Structure formats: structure tokens, C-alpha cells
């Protein structure tokens, strides 16, 4: 998908959003809600936001410290291919964004064991893990 908004315009918009939100995750998510859907989608897939900001936008909650630290180290654009957000035993939990929606995948490195999509993906993952995989 080609970017419809000029990069410099998108960067200026991101700067405005950061100024408005003053590093408040909830305010940033709210201002993203108010954007034109296509512009928002471009920002959520860009290098102008980090993966944590995208996580918070979709799920409106803070993950644990380790997950937050991992997401802060990645640009939002990294979510196109996926970012490992958690590990347990031989399994990895990967967050990606596909077609503008969050996707959480549980894998053993070779096989996909579960996939959850949409804004309920985090809750669906928690239920899956509570049920013992």
C-alpha cells in the first residue's frame, strides 16, 4: 500500500499529536481516534510511532513492564512483520498489525498454535493461556 499522505505532513501531524497528548497514552489514543481513518492507519504503520503506542491504541491498556519495554524498542512499522512481545516455555507471543487490525499469534517457532485478531485479541489470548494452551 502506497502512503497517501506526504511523509513530512505525516511527521508534522505526529509532532502535533505528541504536543497535544503530552506523553499521555490515553490522550494520544483519543487524538488518533479523531483522525481520518486512512491517515490514522498510515500513522499506525509508520516509523513515527512506536509499537507500544500502537498496542495502547488498539487495546487501551498497559501491558506488563517487559512487554512494554520490548514494544518501546520497536517502531510501529515493525508490526507489519510482527514483534515478539512475550515468551513462555518454547512458545512465543507475537503482535502484528494486518489490514489495520491487531493480530496476536502464539507459535512454537514452527507451528502457529493460535491466532487472535481485533480489539479483543488480548483478552482472547489471556483466556487461551488461562485454559492452559
Amino acid at each position: 500500500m502506497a502512503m497517501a499522505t506526504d511523509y513530512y505532513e505525516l511527521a508534522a501531524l505526529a509532532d502535533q499529536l505528541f504536543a497535544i497528548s503530552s506523553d499521555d497514552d490515553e490522550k494520544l489514543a483519543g487524538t488518533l481516534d479523531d483522525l481520518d481513518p486512512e491517515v490514522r492507519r498510515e500513522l499506525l504503520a509508520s516509523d513515527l510511532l512506536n509499537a507500544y503506542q500502537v498496542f495502547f491504541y488498539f487495546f487501551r491498556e498497559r501491558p506488563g513492564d517487559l512487554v512494554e519495554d520490548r514494544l518501546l524498542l520497536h517502531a510501529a512499522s515493525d508490526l507489519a512483520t510482527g514483534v515478539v512481545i512475550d515468551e513462555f516455555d518454547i512458545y512465543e507471543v507475537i503482535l502484528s498489525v494486518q489490514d489495520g487490525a491487531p493480530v496476536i499469534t502464539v507459535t512454537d517457532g514452527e507451528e502457529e498454535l493460535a491466532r487472535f485478531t481485533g480489539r479483543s485479541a488480548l483478552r482472547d489470548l489471556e483466556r487461551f493461556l488461562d485454559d492452559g494452551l
Side-chain angles (χ1 to χ4, degrees):
M1 176 177 88
M3 191 162 65
T5 307
D6 177 83
Y7 178 81
Y8 295 104
E9 290 175 31
L10 206 58
L13 176 60
D15 287 342
Q16 288 176 331
L17 295 177
F18 297 142
I20 291 168
S21 65
S22 303
D23 291 330
D24 182 306
D25 298 326
E26 291 178 24
K27 283 183 183 177
L28 179 60
T31 56
L32 286 167
D33 281 336
D34 294 338
L35 294 178
D36 171 79
E38 190 55 39
V39 173
R40 178 177 52 243
R41 189 174 182 151
E42 289 177 20
L43 270 174
L44 292 173
S46 75
D47 290 336
L48 300 168
L49 298 179
N50 63 48
Y52 169 75
Q53 291 164 322
V54 174
F55 176 97
F56 192 88
Y57 172 75
F58 283 122
F59 302 119
R60 306 297 165 112
E61 66 180 72
R62 289 171 179 78
D65 289 340
L66 179 60
V67 173
E68 183 175 337
D69 289 345
R70 287 179 176 189
L71 290 169
L72 286 169
L73 294 173
H74 288 275
S77 62
D78 292 342
L79 294 171
T81 55
V83 172
V84 174
I85 60 170
D86 208 354
E87 300 168 296
F88 53 96
D89 294 327
I90 64 167
Y91 305 105
E92 292 181 330
V93 178
I94 300 168
L95 173 65
S96 61
V97 175
Q98 298 172 10
D99 296 323
V103 177
I104 296 178
T105 306
V106 179
T107 179
D108 65 5
E110 293 181 21
E111 284 188 51
E112 182 179 296
L113 302 171
R115 177 179 288 248
F116 310 101
T117 61
R119 292 191 185 258
S120 68
L122 195 57
R123 295 281 173 251
D124 297 340
L125 170 68
E126 290 169 356
R127 278 194 295 278
F128 176 75
L129 296 176
D130 286 346
D131 291 344
L133 249 149

mmCIF file of all heavy atoms in Angstrom, residues 29-60:
data_model
loop_
_atom_site.group_PDB
_atom_site.id
_atom_site.type_symbol
_atom_site.label_atom_id
_atom_site.label_comp_id
_atom_site.label_asym_id
_atom_site.label_seq_id
_atom_site.Cartn_x
_atom_site.Cartn_y
_atom_site.Cartn_z
ATOM 1 N N ALA A 29 -4.182 8.152 22.235
ATOM 2 C CA ALA A 29 -5.150 7.235 21.625
ATOM 3 C C ALA A 29 -6.424 7.983 21.236
ATOM 4 O O ALA A 29 -6.982 7.758 20.159
ATOM 5 C CB ALA A 29 -5.475 6.090 22.578
ATOM 6 N N GLY A 30 -6.869 8.886 22.094
ATOM 7 C CA GLY A 30 -8.071 9.661 21.795
ATOM 8 C C GLY A 30 -7.896 10.576 20.597
ATOM 9 O O GLY A 30 -8.801 10.697 19.762
ATOM 10 N N THR A 31 -6.725 11.197 20.482
ATOM 11 C CA THR A 31 -6.499 12.064 19.325
ATOM 12 C C THR A 31 -6.358 11.237 18.052
ATOM 13 O O THR A 31 -6.791 11.669 16.978
ATOM 14 C CB THR A 31 -5.269 12.979 19.517
ATOM 15 O OG1 THR A 31 -4.125 12.188 19.802
ATOM 16 C CG2 THR A 31 -5.494 13.983 20.620
ATOM 17 N N LEU A 32 -5.798 10.047 18.164
ATOM 18 C CA LEU A 32 -5.735 9.153 16.999
ATOM 19 C C LEU A 32 -7.138 8.750 16.555
ATOM 20 O O LEU A 32 -7.411 8.643 15.361
ATOM 21 C CB LEU A 32 -4.901 7.909 17.311
ATOM 22 C CG LEU A 32 -3.386 8.109 17.370
ATOM 23 C CD1 LEU A 32 -2.707 6.900 17.999
ATOM 24 C CD2 LEU A 32 -2.826 8.393 15.998
ATOM 25 N N ASP A 33 -8.037 8.547 17.528
ATOM 26 C CA ASP A 33 -9.433 8.209 17.208
ATOM 27 C C ASP A 33 -10.089 9.282 16.339
ATOM 28 O O ASP A 33 -10.934 8.974 15.501
ATOM 29 C CB ASP A 33 -10.269 8.071 18.484
ATOM 30 C CG ASP A 33 -10.076 6.749 19.187
ATOM 31 O OD1 ASP A 33 -9.693 5.760 18.531
ATOM 32 O OD2 ASP A 33 -10.324 6.707 20.407
ATOM 33 N N ASP A 34 -9.699 10.532 16.569
ATOM 34 C CA ASP A 34 -10.333 11.658 15.873
ATOM 35 C C ASP A 34 -9.805 11.888 14.453
ATOM 36 O O ASP A 34 -10.364 12.698 13.727
ATOM 37 C CB ASP A 34 -10.146 12.937 16.693
ATOM 38 C CG ASP A 34 -10.885 12.893 18.020
ATOM 39 O OD1 ASP A 34 -11.849 12.107 18.145
ATOM 40 O OD2 ASP A 34 -10.484 13.635 18.944
ATOM 41 N N LEU A 35 -8.754 11.191 14.074
ATOM 42 C CA LEU A 35 -8.166 11.386 12.750
ATOM 43 C C LEU A 35 -8.974 10.692 11.658
ATOM 44 O O LEU A 35 -9.707 9.737 11.917
ATOM 45 C CB LEU A 35 -6.740 10.820 12.715
ATOM 46 C CG LEU A 35 -5.698 11.501 13.581
ATOM 47 C CD1 LEU A 35 -4.364 10.772 13.454
ATOM 48 C CD2 LEU A 35 -5.545 12.967 13.200
ATOM 49 N N ASP A 36 -8.777 11.155 10.445
ATOM 50 C CA ASP A 36 -9.304 10.468 9.280
ATOM 51 C C ASP A 36 -8.778 9.023 9.331
ATOM 52 O O ASP A 36 -7.585 8.816 9.606
ATOM 53 C CB ASP A 36 -8.804 11.168 8.016
ATOM 54 C CG ASP A 36 -9.134 10.394 6.767
ATOM 55 O OD1 ASP A 36 -10.295 10.476 6.316
ATOM 56 O OD2 ASP A 36 -8.223 9.692 6.255
ATOM 57 N N PRO A 37 -9.631 8.027 9.114
ATOM 58 C CA PRO A 37 -9.204 6.626 9.243
ATOM 59 C C PRO A 37 -7.977 6.255 8.405
ATOM 60 O O PRO A 37 -7.113 5.500 8.874
ATOM 61 C CB PRO A 37 -10.431 5.828 8.800
ATOM 62 C CG PRO A 37 -11.581 6.737 9.062
ATOM 63 C CD PRO A 37 -11.060 8.131 8.823
ATOM 64 N N GLU A 38 -7.865 6.777 7.203
ATOM 65 C CA GLU A 38 -6.711 6.431 6.362
ATOM 66 C C GLU A 38 -5.428 7.058 6.892
ATOM 67 O O GLU A 38 -4.371 6.420 6.906
ATOM 68 C CB GLU A 38 -6.953 6.854 4.908
ATOM 69 C CG GLU A 38 -5.911 6.323 3.963
ATOM 70 C CD GLU A 38 -5.725 4.808 4.007
ATOM 71 O OE1 GLU A 38 -6.716 4.058 4.138
ATOM 72 O OE2 GLU A 38 -4.560 4.348 3.915
ATOM 73 N N VAL A 39 -5.506 8.292 7.365
ATOM 74 C CA VAL A 39 -4.336 8.952 7.946
ATOM 75 C C VAL A 39 -3.925 8.222 9.223
ATOM 76 O O VAL A 39 -2.731 7.981 9.455
ATOM 77 C CB VAL A 39 -4.619 10.447 8.222
ATOM 78 C CG1 VAL A 39 -3.475 11.095 8.993
ATOM 79 C CG2 VAL A 39 -4.876 11.183 6.912
ATOM 80 N N ARG A 40 -4.900 7.852 10.042
ATOM 81 C CA ARG A 40 -4.613 7.102 11.271
ATOM 82 C C ARG A 40 -3.914 5.785 10.931
ATOM 83 O O ARG A 40 -2.927 5.414 11.549
ATOM 84 C CB ARG A 40 -5.903 6.844 12.052
ATOM 85 C CG ARG A 40 -5.667 6.021 13.303
ATOM 86 C CD ARG A 40 -6.921 5.806 14.135
ATOM 87 N NE ARG A 40 -8.018 5.283 13.359
ATOM 88 C CZ ARG A 40 -9.173 5.909 13.144
ATOM 89 N NH1 ARG A 40 -9.386 7.105 13.662
ATOM 90 N NH2 ARG A 40 -10.122 5.347 12.437
ATOM 91 N N ARG A 41 -4.422 5.109 9.929
ATOM 92 C CA ARG A 41 -3.833 3.824 9.519
ATOM 93 C C ARG A 41 -2.382 4.018 9.071
ATOM 94 O O ARG A 41 -1.509 3.200 9.398
ATOM 95 C CB ARG A 41 -4.679 3.228 8.404
ATOM 96 C CG ARG A 41 -4.318 1.824 8.046
ATOM 97 C CD ARG A 41 -5.313 1.301 7.032
ATOM 98 N NE ARG A 41 -4.995 -0.063 6.709
ATOM 99 C CZ ARG A 41 -5.871 -0.959 6.341
ATOM 100 N NH1 ARG A 41 -7.148 -0.636 6.246
ATOM 101 N NH2 ARG A 41 -5.512 -2.186 6.058
ATOM 102 N N GLU A 42 -2.116 5.087 8.358
ATOM 103 C CA GLU A 42 -0.745 5.378 7.929
ATOM 104 C C GLU A 42 0.163 5.641 9.134
ATOM 105 O O GLU A 42 1.294 5.149 9.185
ATOM 106 C CB GLU A 42 -0.723 6.575 6.984
ATOM 107 C CG GLU A 42 -1.301 6.281 5.622
ATOM 108 C CD GLU A 42 -1.339 7.503 4.722
ATOM 109 O OE1 GLU A 42 -0.593 8.472 4.981
ATOM 110 O OE2 GLU A 42 -2.115 7.489 3.758
ATOM 111 N N LEU A 43 -0.320 6.417 10.087
ATOM 112 C CA LEU A 43 0.477 6.692 11.286
ATOM 113 C C LEU A 43 0.752 5.417 12.074
ATOM 114 O O LEU A 43 1.870 5.200 12.557
ATOM 115 C CB LEU A 43 -0.246 7.686 12.198
ATOM 116 C CG LEU A 43 0.035 9.151 11.972
ATOM 117 C CD1 LEU A 43 -0.858 10.002 12.856
ATOM 118 C CD2 LEU A 43 1.497 9.479 12.208
ATOM 119 N N LEU A 44 -0.263 4.562 12.211
ATOM 120 C CA LEU A 44 -0.113 3.332 12.990
ATOM 121 C C LEU A 44 0.827 2.327 12.327
ATOM 122 O O LEU A 44 1.250 1.363 12.966
ATOM 123 C CB LEU A 44 -1.486 2.682 13.231
ATOM 124 C CG LEU A 44 -2.427 3.452 14.146
ATOM 125 C CD1 LEU A 44 -3.804 2.799 14.181
ATOM 126 C CD2 LEU A 44 -1.845 3.562 15.557
ATOM 127 N N ALA A 45 1.167 2.555 11.079
ATOM 128 C CA ALA A 45 2.075 1.664 10.356
ATOM 129 C C ALA A 45 3.405 2.346 10.029
ATOM 130 O O ALA A 45 4.206 1.815 9.268
ATOM 131 C CB ALA A 45 1.402 1.184 9.071
ATOM 132 N N SER A 46 3.652 3.497 10.619
ATOM 133 C CA SER A 46 4.820 4.300 10.260
ATOM 134 C C SER A 46 5.962 4.132 11.262
ATOM 135 O O SER A 46 5.830 3.437 12.268
ATOM 136 C CB SER A 46 4.412 5.777 10.217
ATOM 137 O OG SER A 46 4.249 6.275 11.536
ATOM 138 N N ASP A 47 7.049 4.828 10.976
ATOM 139 C CA ASP A 47 8.166 4.904 11.917
ATOM 140 C C ASP A 47 8.003 6.086 12.867
ATOM 141 O O ASP A 47 8.874 6.353 13.683
ATOM 142 C CB ASP A 47 9.492 5.059 11.158
ATOM 143 C CG ASP A 47 9.879 3.800 10.421
ATOM 144 O OD1 ASP A 47 9.431 2.713 10.809
ATOM 145 O OD2 ASP A 47 10.633 3.912 9.435
ATOM 146 N N LEU A 48 6.889 6.798 12.762
ATOM 147 C CA LEU A 48 6.659 7.984 13.583
ATOM 148 C C LEU A 48 6.094 7.657 14.962
ATOM 149 O O LEU A 48 6.196 8.458 15.885
ATOM 150 C CB LEU A 48 5.734 8.947 12.848
ATOM 151 C CG LEU A 48 6.289 9.435 11.508
ATOM 152 C CD1 LEU A 48 5.210 10.147 10.710
ATOM 153 C CD2 LEU A 48 7.506 10.315 11.719
ATOM 154 N N LEU A 49 5.489 6.492 15.093
ATOM 155 C CA LEU A 49 5.005 5.989 16.382
ATOM 156 C C LEU A 49 5.820 4.759 16.734
ATOM 157 O O LEU A 49 6.415 4.125 15.864
ATOM 158 C CB LEU A 49 3.525 5.604 16.301
ATOM 159 C CG LEU A 49 2.514 6.688 15.967
ATOM 160 C CD1 LEU A 49 1.107 6.089 15.902
ATOM 161 C CD2 LEU A 49 2.558 7.818 16.975
ATOM 162 N N ASN A 50 5.816 4.407 18.010
ATOM 163 C CA ASN A 50 6.462 3.152 18.372
ATOM 164 C C ASN A 50 5.404 2.061 18.558
ATOM 165 O O ASN A 50 4.198 2.349 18.606
ATOM 166 C CB ASN A 50 7.371 3.315 19.603
ATOM 167 C CG ASN A 50 6.633 3.720 20.857
ATOM 168 O OD1 ASN A 50 5.612 3.153 21.212
ATOM 169 N ND2 ASN A 50 7.161 4.724 21.556
ATOM 170 N N ALA A 51 5.860 0.839 18.636
ATOM 171 C CA ALA A 51 4.945 -0.301 18.719
ATOM 172 C C ALA A 51 4.108 -0.259 20.001
ATOM 173 O O ALA A 51 2.952 -0.694 20.010
ATOM 174 C CB ALA A 51 5.717 -1.614 18.618
ATOM 175 N N TYR A 52 4.660 0.290 21.084
ATOM 176 C CA TYR A 52 3.880 0.416 22.321
ATOM 177 C C TYR A 52 2.679 1.340 22.120
ATOM 178 O O TYR A 52 1.577 1.049 22.582
ATOM 179 C CB TYR A 52 4.756 0.930 23.472
ATOM 180 C CG TYR A 52 3.917 1.309 24.666
ATOM 181 C CD1 TYR A 52 3.372 0.317 25.485
ATOM 182 C CD2 TYR A 52 3.628 2.633 24.956
ATOM 183 C CE1 TYR A 52 2.559 0.653 26.559
ATOM 184 C CE2 TYR A 52 2.821 2.973 26.026
ATOM 185 C CZ TYR A 52 2.296 1.979 26.823
ATOM 186 O OH TYR A 52 1.482 2.299 27.874
ATOM 187 N N GLN A 53 2.882 2.453 21.442
ATOM 188 C CA GLN A 53 1.782 3.389 21.205
ATOM 189 C C GLN A 53 0.674 2.733 20.384
ATOM 190 O O GLN A 53 -0.507 2.970 20.626
ATOM 191 C CB GLN A 53 2.306 4.647 20.514
ATOM 192 C CG GLN A 53 3.191 5.480 21.420
ATOM 193 C CD GLN A 53 4.025 6.499 20.682
ATOM 194 O OE1 GLN A 53 4.519 6.236 19.585
ATOM 195 N NE2 GLN A 53 4.207 7.665 21.299
ATOM 196 N N VAL A 54 1.056 1.893 19.435
ATOM 197 C CA VAL A 54 0.075 1.173 18.634
ATOM 198 C C VAL A 54 -0.645 0.148 19.499
ATOM 199 O O VAL A 54 -1.872 0.028 19.446
ATOM 200 C CB VAL A 54 0.740 0.495 17.416
ATOM 201 C CG1 VAL A 54 -0.259 -0.369 16.660
ATOM 202 C CG2 VAL A 54 1.357 1.547 16.505
ATOM 203 N N PHE A 55 0.088 -0.580 20.340
ATOM 204 C CA PHE A 55 -0.512 -1.536 21.275
ATOM 205 C C PHE A 55 -1.560 -0.829 22.137
ATOM 206 O O PHE A 55 -2.693 -1.283 22.264
ATOM 207 C CB PHE A 55 0.576 -2.164 22.162
ATOM 208 C CG PHE A 55 0.048 -3.091 23.220
ATOM 209 C CD1 PHE A 55 0.038 -4.460 23.000
ATOM 210 C CD2 PHE A 55 -0.406 -2.612 24.438
ATOM 211 C CE1 PHE A 55 -0.436 -5.331 23.976
ATOM 212 C CE2 PHE A 55 -0.886 -3.467 25.411
ATOM 213 C CZ PHE A 55 -0.903 -4.835 25.178
ATOM 214 N N PHE A 56 -1.156 0.297 22.720
ATOM 215 C CA PHE A 56 -2.082 1.020 23.594
ATOM 216 C C PHE A 56 -3.291 1.520 22.811
ATOM 217 O O PHE A 56 -4.425 1.460 23.305
ATOM 218 C CB PHE A 56 -1.399 2.182 24.316
ATOM 219 C CG PHE A 56 -2.249 2.729 25.422
ATOM 220 C CD1 PHE A 56 -2.173 2.201 26.688
ATOM 221 C CD2 PHE A 56 -3.169 3.737 25.177
ATOM 222 C CE1 PHE A 56 -3.007 2.673 27.705
ATOM 223 C CE2 PHE A 56 -4.000 4.213 26.183
ATOM 224 C CZ PHE A 56 -3.918 3.675 27.450
ATOM 225 N N TYR A 57 -3.072 2.000 21.602
ATOM 226 C CA TYR A 57 -4.190 2.479 20.795
ATOM 227 C C TYR A 57 -5.228 1.373 20.607
ATOM 228 O O TYR A 57 -6.419 1.601 20.790
ATOM 229 C CB TYR A 57 -3.712 2.990 19.433
ATOM 230 C CG TYR A 57 -4.893 3.300 18.539
ATOM 231 C CD1 TYR A 57 -5.643 4.442 18.760
ATOM 232 C CD2 TYR A 57 -5.306 2.419 17.555
ATOM 233 C CE1 TYR A 57 -6.770 4.719 17.994
ATOM 234 C CE2 TYR A 57 -6.424 2.687 16.777
ATOM 235 C CZ TYR A 57 -7.152 3.823 17.011
ATOM 236 O OH TYR A 57 -8.283 4.080 16.269
ATOM 237 N N PHE A 58 -4.793 0.193 20.243
ATOM 238 C CA PHE A 58 -5.734 -0.887 19.968
ATOM 239 C C PHE A 58 -6.375 -1.463 21.230
ATOM 240 O O PHE A 58 -7.561 -1.762 21.245
ATOM 241 C CB PHE A 58 -5.065 -2.016 19.191
ATOM 242 C CG PHE A 58 -4.888 -1.715 17.738
ATOM 243 C CD1 PHE A 58 -3.631 -1.742 17.156
ATOM 244 C CD2 PHE A 58 -5.972 -1.399 16.932
ATOM 245 C CE1 PHE A 58 -3.467 -1.461 15.807
ATOM 246 C CE2 PHE A 58 -5.827 -1.115 15.590
ATOM 247 C CZ PHE A 58 -4.560 -1.151 15.018
ATOM 248 N N PHE A 59 -5.592 -1.641 22.289
ATOM 249 C CA PHE A 59 -6.096 -2.367 23.459
ATOM 250 C C PHE A 59 -6.452 -1.481 24.647
ATOM 251 O O PHE A 59 -7.087 -1.941 25.597
ATOM 252 C CB PHE A 59 -5.091 -3.439 23.880
ATOM 253 C CG PHE A 59 -4.803 -4.417 22.773
ATOM 254 C CD1 PHE A 59 -3.524 -4.560 22.271
ATOM 255 C CD2 PHE A 59 -5.815 -5.179 22.225
ATOM 256 C CE1 PHE A 59 -3.253 -5.459 21.246
ATOM 257 C CE2 PHE A 59 -5.571 -6.078 21.206
ATOM 258 C CZ PHE A 59 -4.275 -6.211 20.716
ATOM 259 N N ARG A 60 -6.028 -0.233 24.642
ATOM 260 C CA ARG A 60 -6.354 0.748 25.694
ATOM 261 C C ARG A 60 -5.985 0.259 27.098
ATOM 262 O O ARG A 60 -6.679 0.530 28.074
ATOM 263 C CB ARG A 60 -7.832 1.153 25.653
ATOM 264 C CG ARG A 60 -8.302 1.658 24.302
ATOM 265 C CD ARG A 60 -7.583 2.935 23.881
ATOM 266 N NE ARG A 60 -7.786 3.211 22.473
ATOM 267 C CZ ARG A 60 -8.483 4.228 21.998
ATOM 268 N NH1 ARG A 60 -9.010 5.093 22.815
ATOM 269 N NH2 ARG A 60 -8.615 4.381 20.703
#
